[in-house]
Amino acid sequence: MKRKKLWILGGGLAVVLIGGLSLAGMRDKGIGVQVATVGRENLQSKVSANGKVQAVTKADISANVMGQVTRLAVKEGDRVTKGQFLMEIDPRSARANADAMQANLQATQSDLISTTANLAQARSDFERAKANRTAGIISAADFERAKTAFETAQAAQETSRRRADQAKANVNQSHVGLGYSTISSPMDGVVTARRIELGETAVPGIQNQAGTVLLTVSDMSKVEAEMEVDEASIPSVKLGEEAQVRIDAYPNQTFQGQVTEVGGSPILKTSANEATKFKVKVWIKNPPLTIKPGLSAQADIFTGSREQALTIPFQALVMREIKLKPGETHKPGAPREEEGVFLQEGGKAKFVPVKTGLMGDLSVEVLSGLKGGETLITGPNRALRDLKGGEAVRVEKAKKKEESKT
């Protein structure tokens, strides 16, 4: 029994020893990595974003007077022309005000006629008193009374004239208010929204508060996609850049576009956790005839291209802390990390800093640091994360998808 225990103990030690030797042998061979050769390719850089379709030119029609909608002549989808009648807000109050202003104008005009006649009489009396005073027929007091009467008549006539002008302006203003009761189309287009029904009350805006938007008329012959681009991508988006737009309502179709506006300030957030985004408008050059505002769209904005650019795969790019020489310290504002890649040279990993340029779908342009033809370590991610530089590496084949599934 004792001999049996010794055999078991000896066998266990042998297994541990063999396993340790095997592990040491694997370590001697190096860390398993996947590699690729640095080469050149045609690179297209783009920014992708989501948004909504809208008309380039549209008019949101609001109420300028408060009242009940008494006539409504259009519905959503109707085509309208400039000047066409759309709706009417109860005009009775505005019409009554216009009539009152007209009556007041007539009264002031009658008053002006009266004061003008009085002025003519006062002027005649003054001229007569002036002649009589020169001849010594009347006293100085009588002359002064005639002069005062004339000047008073002049002032009264001027006051009446100004009141008549004011009454005329009030009449014009009342006609403007009456005109606000009838709403016509400001442009040729399509009624893309109707937010009021017959019999409802339209409310005008006051101070900084917007009024009720009654109708929206849009010119759908020229449409755009209003996109939301994240803050990391917005610096590369410029006016005039070409784009391709995809609209969910038209699957398997792409539409050519062009950037016409780049927002200078971020879109207001609705929550604190929302990402910062900027508004970018892309004009759709060849929209379908049945396109409607509000459709969901995705756009690829082409921000640059390079033929036969020196490129590396995205996954090969790593960031690591800049190593300082003994006695050196980081300068204020200086970067503390640098981007680069690991190369396989002489069976070992070597870190090389690189400067990158355009970014494609799966690869990034290298502006400096590499020349082409180098053996680049591309994975696995765990190995790239652990590499420091100088470690022994060995090339291993990437596992097949079938093997990884099993």
Side-chain angles (χ1 to χ4, degrees), residues 151 258 263 330:
E151 292 174 348
Q258 187 178 47
H330 286 289

Side-chain angles (χ1 to χ4, degrees), residues 13 29 67 95 99 113 117 176 202 242 254 286 381 384 400:
L13 290 172
K29 292 180 181 179
R95 185 174 292 118
D99 291 343
I113 293 172
V176 171
E242 296 296 316
T254 58
N286 54 338
N381 290 335
L384 286 172
K400 296 181 180 180

Side-chain angles (χ1 to χ4, degrees), residues 13-28:
L13 290 172
V15 170
V16 171
L17 181 61
I18 293 171
L21 291 173
S22 176
L23 182 60
M26 290 182 65
R27 287 179 177 174
D28 290 341

Side-chain angles (χ1 to χ4, degrees), residues 208-228:
N208 294 329
Q209 184 177 355
T212 305
V213 176
L214 309 176
L215 300 166
T216 299
V217 178
S218 305
D219 179 8
M220 297 306 295
S221 63
K222 190 174 183 180
V223 297
E224 63 189 5
E226 186 174 297
M227 316 307 296
E228 295 183 357

